[in-house]
Amino acid sequence: MRIRTFEEYKIAYNSSVDNPEAFWSGIADAFKWQQKWERVLEWNFNDPLVKWFINGKLNITENCIDRHLTTKSNDLAFIWEPNEPGDKVRRITYRELSEEVNRLANVLKDFGVKKGDRVCVYLPMVPEAVYAMLACARIGAVHSVVFGGFSAQAIQDRINDSVCKVVLTSDGAYRGNKQIAMKATVDEALKNCPSVNRVLVYQRTGQVVNMRDGRDFN
């Protein structure tokens, strides 16, 4: 649904309030479903538990990526604009997005990541962060995104709380003209994260990092 004016917004909003089941089923009909839902909404006014699209099954990456490949694979999925002057703008098509997400999803499966497993994503604001989140969703893993400015202790807490098996990070990141070490922060955090058995490192800045044999890959 595209809303172009405030009047169209008010009409859509009133429709969603007056008949939410009809409104949201209309929105959901535009998605690609592996299994269509049996009921749109299950809710008792006195019960806080609300369920939508009962017994429906979908994979969000099929809706973000796959359904566009037959008609606009060479269209832009998104544009990455860097912070650093002179750094290259990256324009990613749906085809390229599909290839990168599938490649990373297969790497995660090779690492032993299965449906329901947790993956920590500690990356700068680069397209690879998008690939990481979509790759996790592709195979049914749960991604835990950790802000790139957090400390080793904050990363450690989040990894241990969710029992992550894999960490996706980069050698470093840019803040203005300053390089921030990210892999080194992860190394410090992982001194007390027994659940992590693999670390995948994206080369962003080119800075030298320590790589532990058998655990770290790039």
Side-chain angles (χ1 to χ4, degrees):
M1 172 182 288
R2 292 186 178 182
I3 296 178
R4 297 174 176 81
T5 67
F6 185 60
E7 288 303 317
E8 289 182 356
Y9 164 77
K10 289 193 292 185
I11 292 171
Y13 173 77
N14 290 333
S15 176
S16 71
V17 173
D18 295 338
N19 194 340
E21 292 188 44
F23 177 82
W24 289 112
S25 64
I27 297 295
D29 272 332
F31 297 163
K32 180 178 180 180
W33 291 81
Q34 296 176 352
Q35 178 177 303
K36 193 71 178 288
W37 62 86
E38 296 174 359
R39 297 188 308 282
V40 177
L41 176 63
E42 186 177 284
W43 178 46
N44 185 317
F45 184 78
N46 296 315
D47 188 346
L49 180 63
V50 179
K51 295 181 180 180
W52 285 91
F53 304 110
I54 313 302
N55 292 327
K57 294 181 180 180
L58 56 72
N59 187 299
I60 193 62
T61 64
E62 292 181 346
N63 288 280
C64 293
I65 305 171
D66 298 56
R67 67 188 180 118
H68 303 299
L69 294 178
T70 56
T71 57
K72 49 183 180 181
S73 63
N74 292 319
D75 288 0
L76 289 178
F78 66 93
I79 300 173
W80 179 75
E81 184 74 32
N83 288 326
E84 300 74 41
D87 205 349
K88 183 180 179 181
V89 175
R90 295 170 64 182
R91 295 174 170 84
I92 292 91
T93 65
Y94 283 104
R95 176 181 54 79
E96 292 167 334
L97 180 60
S98 176
E99 292 171 353
E100 294 293 343
V101 169
N102 288 336
R103 183 180 295 113
L104 182 51
N106 285 327
V107 170
L108 291 175
K109 288 195 290 186
D110 287 343
F111 284 169
V113 177
K114 302 182 296 296
K115 182 178 180 179
D117 287 339
R118 277 74 65 196
V119 175
C120 175
V121 179
Y122 182 67
L123 285 164
M125 297 292 286
V126 289
E128 284 66 25
V130 177
Y131 305 154
M133 291 182 280
L134 289 173
C136 289
R138 193 72 153 178
I139 62 176
V142 179
H143 64 265
S144 173
V145 177
V146 180
F147 171 56
F150 276 0
S151 66
Q153 184 62 56
I155 300 167
Q156 182 184 119
D157 291 343
R158 285 157 177 78
I159 289 174
N160 288 333
D161 284 347
S162 55
V163 196
C164 293
K165 293 178 66 173
V166 171
V167 176
L168 305 180
T169 189
S170 69
D171 53 357
Y174 292 106
R175 297 279 170 80
N177 57 5
K178 182 181 179 181
Q179 287 191 16
I180 306 297
M182 298 189 74
K183 175 60 165 59
T185 306
V186 168
D187 288 340
E188 182 66 25
L190 294 187
K191 290 179 179 179
N192 292 293
C193 294
S195 63
V196 173
N197 53 47
R198 294 289 187 274
V199 178
L200 186 62
V201 184
Y202 167 63
Q203 294 185 11
R204 168 70 175 130
T205 64
Q207 60 189 269
V208 177
V209 297
N210 292 321
M211 299 290 287
R212 179 183 294 183
D213 288 343
R215 187 196 71 178
D216 299 347
F217 300 85
N218 56 21

